[in-house]
Amino acid sequence: MARKALWKRSDKFAFGAWTVMNAGGDPFGEATRPQLSGPDAVRGLGERDVYGFEFHDNDLVPIGTPPRRRDAILREVRKIMGSTGIKATAGTTNLFSHRVFKDGAFTSHDPKVRAYAVQKAMAGIDLAAELGAGVYIFWGGREGAEVDVAKDPVEALKRFREAMNFLCAYVLDQGYKMVFSIEPKPNEPRSDMYLATAGHALAFIATLDHPDMAGVNPELAHVKMAGLNVVHEVAQPLEAGKLVDIHLNAQKPLRFDQDMSFGADNPKEALLVVKLLSDYGYAGTKAFDCHPYRTEADPWDFVERNMTAYKLLEAKVDRVNSDARLVAMLEELTGADDAGLGDVLLSYSRKNAAKLRGMKFDPAKLAERRLLYERIDQRLTEILLGAE
Ligand SMILES: [Mn+2]
């Protein structure tokens, strides 16, 4: 791109190493561009002033790599981190590619597969700690079922919890400064997956031995695959103080996992996600988890467009928040008169209940208040389209 870069490292953008290592293969076709190595992926991102990279254990260290080779790869990655300034921001375990996980990892029927999965996650956590990553992601790619009669979902969730509890205790015992993050997804590659949305993940986290050690990294495309609202998907963990990372991308609703670039499908929705993160001062990394179109020869236009889209949307958020017409309409909408209510709705007490019981309301009159949703939505559209 000829345009001057709009982003800086201080924006805290991150990419999954796997996003640029994606060589364009899909279930119907072979790779369409050269396969980058893990270190080359990290280098390319670092050279483009990306703040951080996320990685699966096997993005850097393929399964079966001898220990000496592992250490050599790690030295190379550390050297690239030193020379480009890029940080390792999140690690994760690949518990889905190898056929051993064809029926799940933490939720497999086979205790040996479950034990292998936990062992692999321990090694991945060690790797992440060695590179200084403060977040460790759990995306249960194979934790699900096609045949529910053959896999008790209650038992599966118990097994999932056992694994998470074991690994939380491992992190504490090692003294690593690391939080866990669950990445929900409703389906694909399994027909149905456990922990389908941020709400599912939050409820599950509350049942862990160390709920304070775990949060959520919602992915916009994942919830969109279920036809749900991406802004709400991000808002719930944010409100719960559990948004530890976010995976930004785009997706047409109710389709296969398209993993398109941020803003590529629905710019208004993307704008509202940026507004949410910005209005509430989200301070974590903003990671892109998507991949270049299969028609691309290399991943670098893709990397630049994602960060550019975020920064342009961020500038629009400033416009939205300072637009006098929009601000006035929103104030009218949200500033209903509460005279006479006092603190009656703030907290329950017998006194407040008695007071509320005695209040007189005129629902017909209340219903007359104008709600300028058409005008507000249109004003947002105008700002997005660059109208005066
Ligand atoms: Mn993701």
Side-chain angles (χ1 to χ4, degrees), residues 18 183 217 219 222 247 289:
W18 62 88
E183 177 170 332
N217 60 296
E219 174 160 329
H222 288 179
H247 279 180
D289 184 4

